[in-house]
Amino acid sequence: MLSGKQLRKVAIVGYNRIPFARQNTTYANAGNKDMMTAALGGLIDKYNLAGKQLGEVAGGAVIKHSWEINLMRECVLASSLDPKTPACDIEQACNTGIESAVYIANKIALGQLDCGIAGGVDSTSNVPLVLNEHIRSILLSVRRSKSTMDKIKKLLQINLKDFTPIAPMNIEPGTGLSMGGHTEYTAKYYKISREDQDLFSLESHQKMASALDRGFFDDMITPYKGLLFDNNMRRDSSIEKLAKLRPAFDKENGSLTAGNSSPLTDGASCILLASEEWAQQNNLPVLAYITHAEIAAIEYIQNKHNLLLSSIYAAPKMLKKAGMKLQDFDFYEIHEAFAAQVLATLKIWESPELTKEFGLDENLGAIDRSKLNVNGSSLAAGHPFAATGGRILATMAKLLNEKGSGKGFISVCAAGGQGITVILEK
C-alpha cells in the first residue's frame, strides 16, 4: 500500500467545537446532525475551507437514531464543503473522536490523503425511543396475518402499558451495570476516597474557569443556540457543596456523586488534520504532530472494577514503541469520566504491586500532577461521548503550540473495557 514511500508526518492544523450542554438543557431539541454540522461549519469558516474538497471526514455518534445512517456524510452535505468530500462513520464508545483521528492520520501518513477532518457528536437528550418487545412481536404478527379479523384479534392483545417508550440504557450488557456502577467497584477496590474524588473534581472546575478567564478557549468554540461556553462548569463549586451531594450509583455505601462524575452531555467537536505540505500550501500552522497511538481492551466481566482501566495496558505498549517514559511529557490529558477512574489509573501506574495484578512487569511511575488536565477536563466541560476525543486533542495541540515545543500524553477510557492512548509532539 505504501508503494515504497516513507510515512509522512501528520499534523493537527485546526480545531473547533460547539459548547457542551448538560442533558435536556440548551440542546434538548438538537439532533446529532444539527450539532455536528454546526461544529463543522465553525471549522470551515475559521480555516477558509468553504467549497474545498477534502480527503475525507470521519467520525460518529455513540447514540444514534435508526435513520442516522451515513451520519458524517450527511453532515458534509449539509456543510459548505465541496460535496465531493467523502465521509464515513466510526464508533467506539468514548474513544470515537480519538479513533477517528487515528483513522484519518494513518491515511495521511500512508499518502492516501493530504488532509481530513475527524470528529464526533452525541446527544443524550434527543435519544431514540423504542416500543417494548411485546408490542413489537404483535405488530409483526399483524403484518403476517391474512384476514382482517385475525389482525383485529392480534391488535386487541396490545395493552396500554405497551405504549410506554423504552430509552437506551447506559449499561454494559455483560454485567448489567452502568459505567458509574462499575466505577463504584473501582473506587472501593483501589481505595479511592470520596474526599479525594471531590477535591479532584473541584480542581477540574477551577482550572477550566481560570482557562476561560485568560482566553484559552476563545478560538476553540463556535457559539451555538445562544450558548457561548459549556454550561456544566461551576464557578461556585466548593468542597462543602460537593460533600453534601448524595451517592449517585451505590445509594448506601457509594462515593461517586453527580459532582465527581461527568454528566450526560450533548455536543460536537472536530479537528483538521493534514500533511506538512498541505498545511504549508494552505497557510496553516502545524499546532502539533500525532506521533503514536495505542488501543487496548481489558476484561471487566469478572473483574468489574477494571472497566475503565484499559490504558494500564495501552500506555506501556505505546511508550515502549516511542522509546519514552511516562515522565517525559510536558502535559497530560486524562479523560475524566469519573474522578475515581483517573485517580485509580494514577495509583496503579505508581504501584509495583498493583501493576503486577495486570500481569505487567514494571510500573510506569508517578507523573507531575501540576501538568495534568491543566485547563480542566470532562468533569467540568461535560462528556458528549463521541465528542470528547476531539476536545482533548484540540486542547493538547493548543497547549503544545503555545509552548512552542514539547510532548503531550493523552489517555481516554471507554465503555466495553476499551481505551486509547496518544502522543502529540511539537
Side-chain angles (χ1 to χ4, degrees), residues 329-346:
F329 297 91
D330 300 272
F331 302 104
Y332 301 84
E333 285 287 327
I334 301 178
H335 162 47
E336 298 169 349
F338 304 90
Q341 148 259 323
V342 180
L343 294 171
T345 298
L346 297 174

Side-chain angles (χ1 to χ4, degrees), residues 133-344:
E133 185 61 28
H134 181 248
I135 192 171
R136 189 186 77 88
S137 62
I138 291 174
L139 292 175
L140 288 174
S141 179
V142 168
R143 290 186 64 183
R144 293 191 298 267
S145 297
K146 301 295 185 182
S147 69
T148 301
M149 185 57 67
D150 192 32
K151 289 181 180 181
I152 293 172
K153 286 180 180 179
K154 287 184 170 119
L155 286 170
L156 290 174
Q157 297 174 23
I158 297 174
N159 300 313
L160 188 60
K161 65 180 181 180
D162 288 330
F163 292 99
T164 304
I166 301 172
M169 297 290 288
N170 182 24
I171 62 171
E172 295 294 332
T175 63
L177 293 171
S178 67
M179 281 189 281
H182 274 276
T183 308
E184 276 289 5
Y185 280 92
T186 303
K188 292 180 176 69
Y189 187 90
Y190 294 106
K191 297 179 173 58
I192 308 299
S193 71
R194 165 74 183 268
E195 292 73 21
D196 286 346
Q197 292 175 58
D198 286 350
L199 179 60
F200 188 86
S201 181
L202 176 63
E203 290 173 348
S204 183
H205 285 266
Q206 291 174 335
K207 288 187 284 189
M208 185 158 283
S210 176
L212 180 62
D213 291 344
R214 68 175 183 271
F216 181 83
F217 299 109
D218 287 355
D219 71 332
M220 305 183 80
I221 299 175
T222 299
Y224 184 58
K225 291 192 174 295
L227 195 60
L228 302 180
F229 190 66
D230 313 319
N231 69 6
N232 180 66
M233 189 192 74
R234 297 287 181 265
R235 290 182 179 274
D236 61 348
S237 185
S238 68
I239 284 294
E240 292 74 23
K241 289 181 178 179
L242 290 169
K244 292 178 181 178
L245 296 175
R246 295 181 178 179
F249 303 99
D250 180 349
K251 306 292 185 181
E252 295 184 2
N253 301 304
S255 59
L256 272 70
T257 69
N260 56 42
S261 308
S262 62
L264 292 172
T265 316
D266 306 333
S269 69
C270 51
I271 62 169
L272 179 60
L273 299 163
S275 66
E276 292 176 301
E277 295 79 11
W278 192 91
Q280 186 175 15
Q281 290 166 7
N282 288 271
N283 298 313
L284 293 175
V286 172
L287 305 175
Y289 295 101
I290 296 181
T291 58
H292 294 84
E294 191 76 35
I295 190 76
I298 195 168
E299 195 287 316
Y300 67 92
I301 306 297
Q302 299 301 320
N303 297 288
K304 296 181 176 62
H305 52 284
N306 285 341
L307 174 72
L308 299 180
L309 300 180
S310 64
S311 63
I312 301 301
Y313 290 128
K317 286 182 180 180
M318 181 180 73
L319 292 170
K320 183 177 181 180
K321 292 175 183 177
M324 298 179 191
K325 298 179 299 190
L326 186 60
Q327 292 72 34
D328 290 342
F329 297 91
D330 300 272
F331 302 104
Y332 301 84
E333 285 287 327
I334 301 178
H335 162 47
E336 298 169 349
F338 304 90
Q341 148 259 323
V342 180
L343 294 171

Side-chain angles (χ1 to χ4, degrees), residues 40-94:
L40 275 176
L43 186 82
I44 292 164
D45 293 344
K46 192 181 301 183
Y47 301 104
N48 300 312
L49 301 176
K52 291 188 178 182
Q53 180 181 345
L54 303 189
E56 190 172 6
V57 176
V62 177
I63 303 172
K64 295 171 68 174
H65 290 274
S66 59
W67 60 80
E68 290 180 313
I69 300 169
N70 231 4
L71 173 64
M72 298 305 288
R73 173 61 177 159
E74 292 301 316
C75 293
V76 167
L77 292 173
S79 77
S80 59
L81 288 174
D82 187 318
K84 293 192 292 292
T85 300
C88 73
D89 284 16
I90 292 173
E91 190 272 305
Q92 196 182 63
C94 310

